[in-house]
Amino acid sequence: MWVYLLTTVFLLAIGWFIRDRQKIRNVKDKYVFITGCDSGFGNHLAKRLDRQGFHVLAGCLTQKGVDTLQRSSSSKLKAVLLDVTDHSSIQKAADWAQAEVGEKGLWGLVNNAGRAIPIGPMEWLVMEDYFKVLNVNLIGLMEVTLTFLPLVKKARGRIVNVASVMGRISLAGGGYCLSKCGVESFSDSLRRSMNYFGVRVSIIEPGFFKTAVANLEGIENSLQHLWDRLTPEVRESYGQKYFEKCRWPLRFSMNMLCDGDLSKVTNSMEHALTASYPRTRYAAGWDAKLFWIPLSYMPTVLSDFMLALLLPKPAHSVQ
């Protein structure tokens, strides 16, 4: 019996392996729009798809990002200014994309734009801090998706949303984990409704990578700002030592866990755009696959205990 079971599992694995590596054809007549292309994953993916022959439409937040990307790419790649928190900017970019793709529609929409800070204990933040992140990572992603959706439906294309392992398990306070959890939920709902129209939706779940979003200096400066504006009562309840110890897990995460090989993420993005049978979720990075994703499946009491070992205790902690 065990022989038959193992043989079945082996054959299924081989079948999945072969199916997973089947690719679409004629990428040279397909258009892909990518947000957040000034740097990081978006910039890397835009150049990569451009070299493969795609018509890349790149959204950049700054004019410098537009100019730099176009100078380092072929004439097929075209860039446009895009602020995903601005309704008129999104609509203008969609109208521009419509003129570029014509009747072909948009094969791929990659929602990559994002920000992380401010990050800190929940009590240290005000609503404006949450909105700064949510408006980019979640609300902006949703509006871009819904605005570009008719173009994707026309091509029966792909939507690739960049979430995070922090969308599976909340490690830090602030809007980042909230927004990425929202991206997961939005993408799941979108996938189920768009499946009827031949549109595939994939979620990318990166671990820690060295990008502008994971800039240690920016995160530490933001944390210092949050600490400085606390009331004396709140600051006393945490204590100066707590604040100083908060920097250790940040530095460990950014310096030790952060992977500099961005291709581990863009490989997943590319597969979602070019595979005949794209996956629903892609975990990118060794820390995501070996630690964060498994941790998210553990009983809550166990994951809470393990995360508590990584973080300092406030001065007036009752535990």
Side-chain angles (χ1 to χ4, degrees):
M1 178 179 176
W2 286 107
V3 173
Y4 292 117
L5 181 60
L6 291 174
T7 302
T8 301
V9 171
F10 177 75
L11 291 175
L12 287 173
I14 293 296
W16 178 87
F17 182 85
I18 295 172
R19 185 176 186 269
D20 190 58
R21 277 152 181 74
Q22 295 183 38
K23 300 287 186 178
I24 62 170
R25 299 179 180 179
N26 302 322
V27 300
K28 294 185 178 180
D29 64 354
K30 288 180 168 51
Y31 289 81
V32 177
F33 190 97
I34 310 168
T35 69
C37 291
D38 296 76
S39 62
F41 302 135
N43 186 275
H44 194 276
L45 179 66
K47 294 176 181 177
R48 181 169 180 161
L49 296 182
D50 178 52
R51 290 192 295 269
Q52 294 183 15
F54 279 94
H55 292 274
V56 177
L57 307 178
C60 297
L61 181 61
T62 65
Q63 187 61 49
K64 178 182 178 182
V66 169
D67 296 338
T68 302
L69 182 57
Q70 288 187 325
R71 281 198 302 268
S72 59
S73 307
S74 77
S75 59
K76 289 183 69 174
L77 183 147
K78 298 182 180 180
V80 65
L81 285 172
L82 173 63
D83 180 352
V84 299
T85 67
D86 186 319
H87 172 77
S88 61
S89 178
I90 294 173
Q91 189 59 58
K92 186 181 295 185
D95 293 341
W96 172 79
Q98 168 70 79
E100 291 291 331
V101 305
E103 292 303 312
K104 287 183 177 295
L106 190 63
W107 173 255
L109 171 63
V110 182
N111 283 303
N112 166 74
R115 65 174 294 171
I117 56 177
I119 290 178
M122 304 295 277
E123 189 180 10
W124 296 15
L125 298 149
V126 297
M127 288 307 299
E128 182 183 356
D129 297 322
Y130 291 100
F131 289 141
K132 286 178 181 177
V133 180
L134 289 168
N135 286 341
V136 176
N137 294 2
L138 180 58
I139 305 302
L141 178 147
M142 291 169 62
E143 185 169 2
V144 168
T145 300
L146 297 175
T147 304
F148 281 77
L149 191 55
L151 296 179
V152 181
K153 283 179 68 176
K154 182 178 291 186
R156 295 184 181 178
R158 312 283 174 83
I159 296 174
V160 182
N161 291 333
V162 180
S164 167
V165 290
M166 296 297 105
R168 295 285 200 104
I169 185 164
S170 293
L171 174 64
Y176 186 76
C177 296
L178 297 177
S179 66
K180 294 305 184 180
C181 183
V183 170
E184 297 269 356
S185 181
F186 173 74
S187 301
D188 283 337
S189 299
L190 184 69
R191 182 185 68 254
R192 291 170 185 134
S193 61
M194 285 296 104
N195 185 55
Y196 297 107
F197 301 99
V199 174
R200 305 293 186 91
V201 180
S202 296
I203 305 169
I204 311 297
E205 299 174 329
F208 287 83
F209 283 86
K210 293 180 180 179
T211 67
V213 172
N215 179 269
L216 178 59
E217 181 180 0
I219 293 174
E220 288 195 329
N221 289 340
S222 175
L223 193 65
Q224 180 71 58
H225 171 70
L226 297 179
W227 174 256
D228 290 340
R229 77 180 186 190
L230 291 177
T231 64
E233 292 78 13
V234 174
R235 193 181 298 131
E236 182 185 356
S237 70
Y238 285 89
Q240 183 67 33
K241 288 186 178 180
Y242 175 89
F243 171 67
E244 293 171 357
K245 289 180 179 180
C246 274
R247 298 173 182 270
W248 182 85
L250 283 175
R251 290 170 179 170
F252 176 77
S253 299
M254 298 300 107
N255 293 328
M256 301 299 293
L257 294 181
C258 270
D259 195 332
D261 184 6
L262 302 189
S263 67
K264 291 177 181 176
V265 176
T266 54
N267 284 344
S268 298
M269 294 174 169
E270 181 187 340
H271 187 276
L273 292 168
T274 61
S276 298
Y277 305 98
R279 304 173 204 166
T280 301
R281 280 176 166 80
Y282 295 82
W286 69 267
D287 59 321
K289 295 176 180 178
L290 300 181
F291 184 71
W292 299 114
I293 299 296
L295 185 64
S296 71
Y297 285 109
M298 291 183 181
T300 303
V301 65
L302 181 57
S303 61
D304 282 356
F305 172 75
M306 293 185 67
L307 292 177
L309 296 177
L310 302 175
L311 302 173
K313 286 186 178 182
H316 291 182
S317 173
V318 297
Q319 295 183 353

Short mmCIF file of all heavy atoms in Angstrom, two decimals, residues 19-48:
data_model
loop_
_atom_site.label_atom_id
_atom_site.label_comp_id
_atom_site.label_asym_id
_atom_site.label_seq_id
_atom_site.Cartn_x
_atom_site.Cartn_y
_atom_site.Cartn_z
N ARG A 19 3.92 20.94 -15.27
CA ARG A 19 2.87 21.94 -15.49
C ARG A 19 3.33 23.34 -15.09
O ARG A 19 3.04 24.33 -15.77
CB ARG A 19 1.64 21.55 -14.67
CG ARG A 19 0.41 22.42 -14.88
CD ARG A 19 -0.74 21.82 -14.06
NE ARG A 19 -1.99 22.51 -14.30
CZ ARG A 19 -2.42 23.55 -13.58
NH1 ARG A 19 -1.66 24.02 -12.59
NH2 ARG A 19 -3.58 24.13 -13.85
N ASP A 20 4.07 23.42 -13.98
CA ASP A 20 4.51 24.70 -13.45
C ASP A 20 5.49 25.40 -14.38
O ASP A 20 5.64 26.63 -14.31
CB ASP A 20 5.17 24.48 -12.08
CG ASP A 20 5.44 25.78 -11.35
OD1 ASP A 20 4.47 26.54 -11.11
OD2 ASP A 20 6.61 26.05 -11.00
N ARG A 21 6.15 24.65 -15.26
CA ARG A 21 7.18 25.22 -16.12
C ARG A 21 6.70 25.49 -17.55
O ARG A 21 7.50 25.88 -18.40
CB ARG A 21 8.42 24.31 -16.13
CG ARG A 21 9.30 24.60 -14.92
CD ARG A 21 10.11 23.43 -14.48
NE ARG A 21 10.89 23.80 -13.30
CZ ARG A 21 10.37 23.94 -12.07
NH1 ARG A 21 9.08 23.74 -11.88
NH2 ARG A 21 11.14 24.29 -11.04
N GLN A 22 5.45 25.30 -17.80
CA GLN A 22 4.91 25.65 -19.11
C GLN A 22 4.74 27.16 -19.22
O GLN A 22 4.23 27.80 -18.29
CB GLN A 22 3.58 24.94 -19.34
CG GLN A 22 3.71 23.42 -19.41
CD GLN A 22 2.39 22.75 -19.72
OE1 GLN A 22 1.59 23.25 -20.50
NE2 GLN A 22 2.15 21.61 -19.08
N LYS A 23 5.17 27.73 -20.35
CA LYS A 23 5.18 29.18 -20.53
C LYS A 23 4.23 29.62 -21.64
O LYS A 23 3.95 28.87 -22.57
CB LYS A 23 6.60 29.65 -20.87
CG LYS A 23 7.64 29.35 -19.82
CD LYS A 23 7.48 30.24 -18.59
CE LYS A 23 8.62 30.03 -17.60
NZ LYS A 23 8.49 30.92 -16.43
N ILE A 24 3.78 30.86 -21.53
CA ILE A 24 2.99 31.46 -22.61
C ILE A 24 3.92 31.81 -23.77
O ILE A 24 5.14 31.83 -23.62
CB ILE A 24 2.26 32.73 -22.13
CG1 ILE A 24 3.29 33.78 -21.69
CG2 ILE A 24 1.29 32.41 -21.01
CD1 ILE A 24 2.69 35.15 -21.43
N ARG A 25 3.33 32.08 -24.91
CA ARG A 25 4.12 32.46 -26.08
C ARG A 25 3.83 33.90 -26.49
O ARG A 25 2.92 34.53 -25.99
CB ARG A 25 3.80 31.51 -27.24
CG ARG A 25 4.14 30.05 -26.95
CD ARG A 25 3.79 29.17 -28.13
NE ARG A 25 4.10 27.78 -27.86
CZ ARG A 25 3.87 26.79 -28.74
NH1 ARG A 25 3.32 27.06 -29.92
NH2 ARG A 25 4.19 25.54 -28.42
N ASN A 26 4.64 34.39 -27.42
CA ASN A 26 4.43 35.71 -28.03
C ASN A 26 4.40 36.84 -27.00
O ASN A 26 3.48 37.66 -26.98
CB ASN A 26 3.12 35.73 -28.83
CG ASN A 26 3.09 34.68 -29.91
OD1 ASN A 26 4.11 34.41 -30.56
ND2 ASN A 26 1.94 34.06 -30.11
N VAL A 27 5.43 36.88 -26.15
CA VAL A 27 5.46 37.94 -25.14
C VAL A 27 5.73 39.30 -25.78
O VAL A 27 5.44 40.34 -25.17
CB VAL A 27 6.55 37.66 -24.07
CG1 VAL A 27 6.27 36.35 -23.37
CG2 VAL A 27 7.95 37.67 -24.67
N LYS A 28 6.24 39.32 -27.00
CA LYS A 28 6.61 40.60 -27.63
C LYS A 28 5.42 41.45 -28.03
O LYS A 28 5.59 42.62 -28.35
CB LYS A 28 7.51 40.33 -28.85
CG LYS A 28 8.87 39.74 -28.47
CD LYS A 28 9.78 39.58 -29.67
CE LYS A 28 11.14 39.04 -29.25
NZ LYS A 28 12.07 38.88 -30.40
N ASP A 29 4.23 40.87 -28.02
CA ASP A 29 3.05 41.69 -28.32
C ASP A 29 2.19 41.93 -27.07
O ASP A 29 1.04 42.34 -27.17
CB ASP A 29 2.21 41.04 -29.41
CG ASP A 29 1.62 39.70 -28.98
OD1 ASP A 29 1.96 39.23 -27.88
OD2 ASP A 29 0.83 39.13 -29.76
N LYS A 30 2.79 41.70 -25.88
CA LYS A 30 2.04 41.86 -24.64
C LYS A 30 2.53 43.08 -23.85
O LYS A 30 3.73 43.35 -23.79
CB LYS A 30 2.15 40.59 -23.79
CG LYS A 30 1.34 39.42 -24.36
CD LYS A 30 1.47 38.19 -23.52
CE LYS A 30 0.43 37.14 -23.92
NZ LYS A 30 0.40 36.84 -25.34
N TYR A 31 1.57 43.76 -23.22
CA TYR A 31 1.85 44.96 -22.43
C TYR A 31 1.71 44.65 -20.95
O TYR A 31 0.76 43.99 -20.52
CB TYR A 31 0.89 46.08 -22.80
CG TYR A 31 1.12 46.67 -24.18
CD1 TYR A 31 0.63 46.03 -25.33
CD2 TYR A 31 1.82 47.86 -24.34
CE1 TYR A 31 0.84 46.57 -26.59
CE2 TYR A 31 2.03 48.41 -25.60
CZ TYR A 31 1.53 47.76 -26.71
OH TYR A 31 1.74 48.30 -27.96
N VAL A 32 2.66 45.17 -20.17
CA VAL A 32 2.63 45.00 -18.71
C VAL A 32 2.82 46.37 -18.06
O VAL A 32 3.77 47.09 -18.39
CB VAL A 32 3.74 44.04 -18.23
CG1 VAL A 32 3.73 43.96 -16.70
CG2 VAL A 32 3.55 42.65 -18.82
N PHE A 33 1.94 46.72 -17.14
CA PHE A 33 2.05 47.97 -16.38
C PHE A 33 2.52 47.64 -14.97
O PHE A 33 1.95 46.76 -14.31
CB PHE A 33 0.71 48.70 -16.33
CG PHE A 33 0.82 50.10 -15.77
CD1 PHE A 33 0.91 51.19 -16.62
CD2 PHE A 33 0.83 50.33 -14.40
CE1 PHE A 33 1.02 52.48 -16.11
CE2 PHE A 33 0.95 51.61 -13.88
CZ PHE A 33 1.04 52.69 -14.74
N ILE A 34 3.56 48.35 -14.50
CA ILE A 34 4.15 48.10 -13.19
C ILE A 34 4.17 49.40 -12.39
O ILE A 34 4.61 50.43 -12.90
CB ILE A 34 5.59 47.57 -13.31
CG1 ILE A 34 5.68 46.41 -14.31
CG2 ILE A 34 6.15 47.16 -11.95
CD1 ILE A 34 7.10 46.05 -14.70
N THR A 35 3.71 49.37 -11.15
CA THR A 35 3.79 50.56 -10.30
C THR A 35 5.04 50.49 -9.43
O THR A 35 5.61 49.42 -9.20
CB THR A 35 2.55 50.67 -9.38
OG1 THR A 35 2.58 49.61 -8.41
CG2 THR A 35 1.26 50.56 -10.19
N GLY A 36 5.49 51.66 -8.97
CA GLY A 36 6.64 51.71 -8.06
C GLY A 36 7.95 51.34 -8.72
O GLY A 36 8.71 50.54 -8.18
N CYS A 37 8.23 51.93 -9.88
CA CYS A 37 9.41 51.54 -10.66
C CYS A 37 10.62 52.45 -10.46
O CYS A 37 11.61 52.32 -11.18
CB CYS A 37 9.07 51.48 -12.15
SG CYS A 37 7.95 50.13 -12.58
N ASP A 38 10.56 53.37 -9.51
CA ASP A 38 11.71 54.24 -9.27
C ASP A 38 12.92 53.44 -8.81
O ASP A 38 14.07 53.77 -9.15
CB ASP A 38 11.36 55.27 -8.19
CG ASP A 38 10.25 56.22 -8.62
OD1 ASP A 38 9.08 55.79 -8.62
OD2 ASP A 38 10.56 57.36 -8.98
N SER A 39 12.68 52.40 -8.02
CA SER A 39 13.78 51.59 -7.48
C SER A 39 13.23 50.23 -7.08
O SER A 39 12.05 49.93 -7.29
CB SER A 39 14.41 52.29 -6.26
OG SER A 39 13.44 52.43 -5.23
N GLY A 40 14.09 49.41 -6.49
CA GLY A 40 13.65 48.15 -5.90
C GLY A 40 13.08 47.14 -6.88
O GLY A 40 13.50 47.05 -8.04
N PHE A 41 12.09 46.39 -6.40
CA PHE A 41 11.52 45.30 -7.19
C PHE A 41 10.94 45.80 -8.52
O PHE A 41 11.11 45.17 -9.56
CB PHE A 41 10.41 44.59 -6.41
CG PHE A 41 10.83 44.01 -5.10
CD1 PHE A 41 10.05 44.18 -3.97
CD2 PHE A 41 12.02 43.30 -4.98
CE1 PHE A 41 10.43 43.65 -2.75
CE2 PHE A 41 12.41 42.76 -3.77
CZ PHE A 41 11.61 42.94 -2.64
N GLY A 42 10.21 46.91 -8.48
CA GLY A 42 9.56 47.41 -9.69
C GLY A 42 10.56 47.79 -10.75
O GLY A 42 10.39 47.46 -11.93
N ASN A 43 11.62 48.47 -10.37
CA ASN A 43 12.67 48.87 -11.30
C ASN A 43 13.36 47.65 -11.89
O ASN A 43 13.60 47.57 -13.10
CB ASN A 43 13.67 49.77 -10.57
CG ASN A 43 14.72 50.35 -11.46
OD1 ASN A 43 15.75 49.72 -11.75
ND2 ASN A 43 14.49 51.57 -11.92
N HIS A 44 13.67 46.70 -11.03
CA HIS A 44 14.34 45.47 -11.45
C HIS A 44 13.46 44.68 -12.42
O HIS A 44 13.93 44.18 -13.46
CB HIS A 44 14.67 44.62 -10.22
CG HIS A 44 15.63 43.53 -10.45
ND1 HIS A 44 15.27 42.29 -10.93
CD2 HIS A 44 16.98 43.45 -10.26
CE1 HIS A 44 16.33 41.51 -11.03
NE2 HIS A 44 17.37 42.18 -10.62
N LEU A 45 12.17 44.56 -12.11
CA LEU A 45 11.26 43.81 -12.97
C LEU A 45 11.06 44.50 -14.30
O LEU A 45 11.01 43.84 -15.35
CB LEU A 45 9.91 43.64 -12.26
CG LEU A 45 8.84 42.89 -13.06
CD1 LEU A 45 9.24 41.42 -13.27
CD2 LEU A 45 7.48 42.96 -12.36
N ALA A 46 10.92 45.83 -14.30
CA ALA A 46 10.71 46.57 -15.54
C ALA A 46 11.85 46.33 -16.51
O ALA A 46 11.63 46.06 -17.71
CB ALA A 46 10.58 48.06 -15.23
N LYS A 47 13.09 46.41 -16.04
CA LYS A 47 14.25 46.18 -16.90
C LYS A 47 14.30 44.74 -17.38
O LYS A 47 14.66 44.46 -18.54
CB LYS A 47 15.53 46.53 -16.14
CG LYS A 47 15.66 48.01 -15.81
CD LYS A 47 16.91 48.27 -14.98
CE LYS A 47 17.04 49.74 -14.63
NZ LYS A 47 18.22 50.01 -13.75
N ARG A 48 13.95 43.83 -16.50
CA ARG A 48 14.00 42.40 -16.83
C ARG A 48 12.98 42.06 -17.93
O ARG A 48 13.31 41.37 -18.90
CB ARG A 48 13.71 41.61 -15.57
CG ARG A 48 13.75 40.11 -15.73
CD ARG A 48 13.72 39.45 -14.38
NE ARG A 48 13.76 38.01 -14.47
CZ ARG A 48 14.11 37.21 -13.48
NH1 ARG A 48 14.49 37.73 -12.34
NH2 ARG A 48 14.11 35.90 -13.63
#
